[in-house]
Amino acid sequence: MGLFDRLRGGGGPRVAFFGIDGVPYSLIADNEGTFENLHAFGSGGEIDSIVPPESSACWPALTTGVNPGTTGVYGFQDREVDSYETYVPMGQDVQATRLWSRVDDAGGEATVMNVPVTFPPDRDVQRMVSGFLSPGVEKAAYPDELRETLEALEYKIDVNAKLGHKDDKEAFIEDAHRTLDARFEAFKHYLEGDDWDLFFGVFMTTDRVNHFLFKDYAQDGEYKAEFIEFYAKLDRYLGELRGMLDEKTTMVVASDHGFTSLDHEVKCNVWLENNGWLSFEDDDHDSLGDIADDTRAYSLIPGRFYINLEGREPRGSVPEDEYEAVRKELKADLEALEGPDGRPVADRIVTKEDAFRGEHDEIAPDLVVIPNDGFDLKSGFRGGESVFDVGPRNGMHSFENACLFVDDADATVEDADLYDIAPTILDLLDIGIDRGEFDGASLL
């Protein structure tokens, strides 16, 4: 049974969710003419992201309703237990129950497309193409029919971000449009053709455009018109998708984090080395595995700081009874860190106890720095490098200013965060939940 049959009656409530990765609410609120369709939603507003506000951690949190201590995913790069080795978390590393699994358990069907951190595709749902970090459509799509259809549509998992590194951004912008167009065509095809209770698709290209063009928008730069043109197309596509839905279907649109202009990349491990917190066994170091025994702290992106704790790290130098004092000292040093313009780098610093809870917090960072606008916290291992740098990107993630739109007048998007989205979608689907299983709550 497809969309045409549903329009004739039958079936229960449905939800069509569309992610717009990294789109800040302020961009939408300040440009009503560009976002006519989103402004027509029943409820919408600004929401908070999570700590840390990185897509690899955000999408597992959004699709489960729980924090990284429960999902087991803290960022693009995570640390192995009892090791300095790191790995890139993939779908199988997400330890909490995803929305589409709950729909499947309730006897429903789900179509899931382009969600980050879902590779390899879940074969328990009727259809899935994995998103960001997937090797390509051939391996990321299930079943085979989906792969064949996507290849015919010239569907891509992601935009070619390397094109954004060039001074001339025209090729990057053209590739972003091609990626967006193919994503829309694929969503439209399966929105209409599949029998689903939950349709869950993510537009990832928005994050890429923001990384390379956001300052052009914010400061009337060279590519501001192209930036607005891209978003006008996105809003038009969202409007067309909304028009395909019947009265029993609620459309939800959300971003996983906000965005702001980037002025300085901050190489945190270089700063730690320069300030006596981190040292290496030799000059030719390029990873955590090269740190020396007297190291007291190290960092992973974005802004995650770890005490080199005795009994937890392989070569831990900080005794457990000194942990709190050392962490307090590190926190004070980070609070005092200033950028080239004299502004504090840290907006606030969050402890692991305040940010994370769950069975997988043994790899949690001890401190997470939420930076002030303009400072993007990297790792960086090469000694002698400058702490502050300027790279090809001019936009960065932010904790505040993510967005959520629910096409239901009963929804109240106020004092909300990323964790509220999963229970809200389940509530819209009339799927019962145990409130204690989630870090958020339904907004209905």
Side-chain angles (χ1 to χ4, degrees), residues 44 106 167 202 218 245 284:
D167 292 336
V202 176
L245 305 176
D284 188 25

Side-chain angles (χ1 to χ4, degrees), residues 291-314:
I291 67 174
D293 292 347
D294 61 347
T295 289
R296 293 199 298 161
Y298 58 91
S299 180
L300 293 176
I301 59 172
R304 291 177 288 163
F305 289 82
Y306 299 79
I307 302 299
N308 193 30
L309 186 63
E310 192 176 86
R312 186 183 69 181
E313 270 74 4

Side-chain angles (χ1 to χ4, degrees), residues 84-128:
Y84 294 115
E85 296 298 318
T86 61
Y87 64 96
V88 176
M90 305 296 275
Q92 67 267 27
D93 297 303
V94 179
Q95 302 300 308
T97 305
R98 302 273 201 159
L99 270 170
W100 41 87
S101 295
R102 292 182 182 274
V103 170
D104 182 70
D105 290 344
E109 297 284 3
T111 293
V112 183
M113 305 188 71
N114 210 60
V115 182
V117 200
T118 55
F119 182 81
D122 186 345
R123 293 172 179 262
D124 289 332
V125 300
Q126 67 174 348
R127 194 179 311 283
M128 177 182 285

Side-chain angles (χ1 to χ4, degrees), residues 177-356:
H177 276 278
R178 284 194 297 270
T179 306
L180 178 66
D181 293 343
R183 186 84 73 249
F184 166 69
E185 292 298 331
F187 287 177
K188 185 170 65 171
H189 180 87
Y190 288 106
L191 194 74
E192 185 172 24
D194 274 357
D195 177 13
W196 47 266
D197 298 277
L198 172 66
F199 185 98
F200 202 105
V202 176
F203 291 100
M204 187 76 181
T205 314
T206 48
D207 177 89
R208 305 301 185 237
V209 167
N210 287 353
H211 271 305
F212 295 106
L213 301 181
F214 196 84
K215 186 178 282 188
D216 290 79
Y217 158 72
Q219 299 184 7
D220 295 328
E222 179 180 359
Y223 294 102
K224 179 176 181 178
E226 288 85 349
F227 181 91
I228 293 296
E229 180 184 4
F230 173 85
Y231 273 107
K233 176 185 282 188
L234 173 70
D235 183 75
R236 185 169 69 252
Y237 283 165
L238 290 171
E240 290 187 39
L241 294 170
R242 185 186 184 203
M244 296 174 63
L245 305 176
D246 65 0
E247 70 280 356
K248 295 180 180 178
T249 305
T250 304
M251 183 165 166
V252 179
V253 178
S255 63
D256 56 327
H257 53 75
F259 238 89
T260 188
S261 295
L262 188 161
D263 300 316
H264 304 285
E265 292 183 350
V266 186
K267 298 177 182 177
C268 296
N269 283 317
V270 175
W271 175 81
L272 287 169
E273 185 178 9
N274 291 351
N275 288 272
W277 285 96
L278 172 63
S279 59
F280 294 91
E281 294 178 339
D282 55 58
D283 293 335
D284 188 25
H285 53 268
D286 58 6
S287 72
L288 289 179
D290 298 321
I291 67 174
D293 292 347
D294 61 347
T295 289
R296 293 199 298 161
Y298 58 91
S299 180
L300 293 176
I301 59 172
R304 291 177 288 163
F305 289 82
Y306 299 79
I307 302 299
N308 193 30
L309 186 63
E310 192 176 86
R312 186 183 69 181
E313 270 74 4
R315 298 190 298 278
S317 66
V318 178
E320 189 170 348
D321 61 359
E322 296 179 15
Y323 171 80
E324 287 297 346
V326 172
R327 185 168 69 164
K328 184 177 180 181
E329 180 186 352
L330 177 58
K331 184 173 182 287
D333 283 359
L334 288 166
E335 288 171 339
L337 175 60
E338 294 182 345
D341 55 3
R343 290 190 301 129
V345 169
D347 173 53
R348 65 187 182 281
I349 300 174
V350 185
T351 66
K352 65 182 294 183
E353 293 83 2
D354 288 337
F356 312 116

Side-chain angles (χ1 to χ4, degrees), residues 370-383:
I370 305 299
N372 278 308
D373 288 355
F375 297 106
D376 193 11
L377 304 185
K378 303 296 187 181
S379 52
F381 291 99
R382 292 292 182 182

